[in-house]
Amino acid sequence: MVRDRIGRVIFGQREVVDLTLITLLAGGHVLLIGVPGLAKTRLVETLGTVLGLEEKRIQCTPDLMPADILGSEVLEESEDGRRSFRFVPGPVFSQLLMADEINRASPRTQSALLQAMQERRVSVAGHYHPLPAPFHVLATQNPLEQEGTYPLPEAQLDRFLMQVDVTYPDREAERRMVVATTGVEQESAVTVITPTELQAAQRLVRRIPVGESVVEGILDLVRAGRPETSDVAEVTRHVAWGPGPRASQALMLAARARAVLDGRLAPSLDDVVALAKPVLRHRMALSFAARADGVTLDAVIDRLCEPLL
């Protein structure tokens, strides 16, 4: 039902929609990377409506400050003359936060999201403020324009459960999109489930049993991606640094969520292979020599997945 409703608004991005839903079911955050005009912003808005989540949007710019995201304390004076500080929450206090073009924000502002993404709370003026539940960050990034941008540090990239590359739709999907979005009437999203039901689904994902072969497959895959301990020649030759333990956790949760989304009772190694690229892409880096030779991370990850096939 959720897929169907989203598909009426978003055309030709079935894999992107599925990966985003898997991320939300796993309780994580997702980084969407693609050129302008591929419905990244519309996808987030549609997800907020379909899932019944309170959605807010931040347009990241170089002059955006942490207080613009987290909120700030203001000094107020009561009728009897007493003065006190009152916390005014920022847009981060939402259930679905869209950080548009996140790499255009300064490192100081980017780091304001670190605590929120990891701990589901923020600290302002020495006081902790819990965020609404569920809380998810869906950030977008333009891979073409690098002028005036600040690449996300590895510590922040690791907080995203997945990096989803948004590509151009096929011809038939683009044809449907052109016809459907340029007429008088356009299909709009409607609420299908509630935040409470989404949280129940997230709890269900964590209760899904995982076979020992899948656990060992995840560990073999992630550990083989580390050049210090890997026996894979492509990794030791081309990879500068590999994925940490958070990658194993992300693969485990994502594999469970994919099984639930497909109506299966347990994940398989096929789920691990299908999710390897979006989970590992942003948790590994190629050496300068490898990039100069035209080596891609996707090719390295494909090599890592071969023993699981």
Side-chain angles (χ1 to χ4, degrees):
M1 179 64 76
V2 172
R3 277 171 167 167
D4 177 62
R5 285 295 179 182
I6 295 174
R8 297 183 185 185
V9 181
I10 306 297
F11 301 95
Q13 298 290 0
R14 176 63 182 266
E15 183 182 5
V16 173
V17 170
D18 282 356
L19 289 175
T20 305
L21 287 175
I22 289 169
T23 302
L24 296 182
L25 278 175
H29 315 287
V30 63
L31 178 63
L32 301 170
I33 296 185
V35 299
L38 296 182
K40 299 186 297 296
T41 303
R42 189 166 177 79
L43 171 61
V44 179
E45 294 171 350
T46 303
L47 280 169
T49 302
V50 171
L51 301 177
L53 300 174
E54 179 191 3
E55 181 257 335
K56 292 183 181 178
R57 179 174 180 268
I58 301 169
Q59 180 61 55
C60 295
T61 56
D63 60 347
L64 191 73
M65 298 298 290
D68 297 328
I69 297 176
L70 305 180
S72 57
E73 291 196 327
V74 296
L75 183 63
E76 289 186 333
E77 185 172 343
S78 62
E79 294 180 357
D80 58 2
R82 293 184 178 180
R83 294 181 178 181
S84 61
F85 285 98
R86 179 173 65 89
F87 177 67
V88 179
V92 74
F93 288 86
S94 60
Q95 294 172 319
L96 188 64
L97 177 68
M98 178 181 184
D100 207 0
E101 293 191 287
I102 189 172
N103 59 329
R104 290 201 175 279
S106 67
R108 180 184 178 188
T109 304
Q110 290 174 6
S111 64
L113 283 173
L114 272 174
Q115 184 184 27
M117 294 170 68
Q118 183 66 28
E119 301 178 18
R120 264 67 173 182
R121 64 178 183 175
V122 297
S123 176
V124 178
H127 298 285
Y128 286 115
H129 301 274
L131 297 174
F135 172 73
H136 302 281
V137 175
L138 274 68
T140 69
Q141 191 170 305
N142 182 351
L144 298 181
E145 296 180 353
Q146 298 304 320
E147 191 84 18
T149 62
Y150 304 88
L152 291 174
E154 289 75 14
Q156 183 145 9
L157 285 172
D158 203 24
R159 261 63 174 190
F160 288 100
L161 189 86
M162 290 192 201
Q163 175 187 308
V164 179
D165 290 347
V166 185
T167 58
Y168 292 107
D170 58 38
R171 184 182 182 89
E172 181 56 32
E174 191 165 357
R175 180 183 182 280
R176 289 171 49 221
M177 178 189 66
V178 169
V179 173
T181 59
T182 58
V184 176
E185 296 184 1
Q186 296 185 28
E187 188 77 34
S188 57
V190 296
T191 301
V192 174
I193 67 173
T194 65
T196 301
E197 291 171 330
L198 175 60
Q199 287 180 286
Q202 291 172 345
R203 290 192 294 271
L204 173 64
V205 165
R206 289 180 174 269
R207 291 199 295 266
I208 293 294
V210 181
E212 191 64 27
S213 62
V214 175
V215 176
E216 292 300 322
I218 290 173
L219 291 174
D220 290 344
L221 176 64
V222 173
R223 295 180 67 84
R226 301 168 185 165
E228 300 86 358
T229 58
S230 179
D231 294 328
V232 180
E234 288 85 350
V235 172
T236 56
R237 188 163 60 245
H238 300 310
V239 175
W241 50 268
R246 197 177 274 123
S248 304
Q249 295 172 320
L251 268 174
M252 178 75 80
L253 280 172
R256 284 171 161 161
R258 189 172 190 262
V260 169
L261 194 64
D262 289 344
R264 290 180 280 113
L265 298 178
S268 66
L269 287 175
D270 290 339
D271 295 313
V272 177
V273 172
L275 296 167
K277 288 179 182 177
V279 170
L280 297 179
R281 271 191 198 115
H282 57 300
R283 293 184 166 97
M284 302 173 66
L286 296 172
S287 65
F288 177 79
R291 294 196 302 271
D293 290 341
V295 178
T296 65
L297 266 178
D298 282 2
V300 174
I301 296 173
D302 283 336
R303 174 65 183 87
L304 291 175
C305 290
E306 286 180 6
L308 304 182
L309 297 175

